[in-house]
Amino acid sequence: MQDLGRLLLLLGTLLLLAGWALMYGKSLPWLGKLPGDFLIRKGNFTFYFPLMTAIVLSLVLTLLMYLLRKR
């Protein structure tokens, strides 16, 4: 039962962080505009691929998960 409790706490924390990011995401103007994020505009076609943002978020989440599992 302890594993289930830890999983629920982790999922709750992730949902809280996701909600915070949706509410206050505009206060982080650099997020989504890092060097390495691709934006291609041609006429009425726009393609956006946030490669560097995805890499940074992946590294942060990986570090967070590593620190939480180490306990």
Side-chain angles (χ1 to χ4, degrees):
M1 283 303 255
Q2 276 187 332
D3 290 336
L4 179 60
R6 287 182 184 167
L7 178 66
L8 288 174
L9 281 174
L10 179 65
L11 289 174
T13 303
L14 289 175
L15 283 173
L16 181 72
L17 290 174
W20 177 82
L22 288 173
M23 286 177 26
Y24 301 109
K26 291 184 180 186
S27 65
L28 301 172
W30 55 269
L31 191 63
K33 295 180 182 177
L34 295 174
D37 291 345
F38 298 103
L39 177 64
I40 300 170
R41 290 187 181 147
K42 299 226 177 181
N44 63 352
F45 174 77
T46 302
F47 176 75
Y48 178 66
F49 187 69
L51 180 64
M52 190 56 69
T53 299
I55 291 172
V56 169
L57 288 177
S58 176
L59 289 173
V60 169
L61 290 175
T62 299
L63 179 64
L64 181 67
M65 294 300 290
Y66 174 75
L67 293 174
L68 288 176
R69 286 187 170 250
K70 197 167 185 174
R71 290 185 179 186

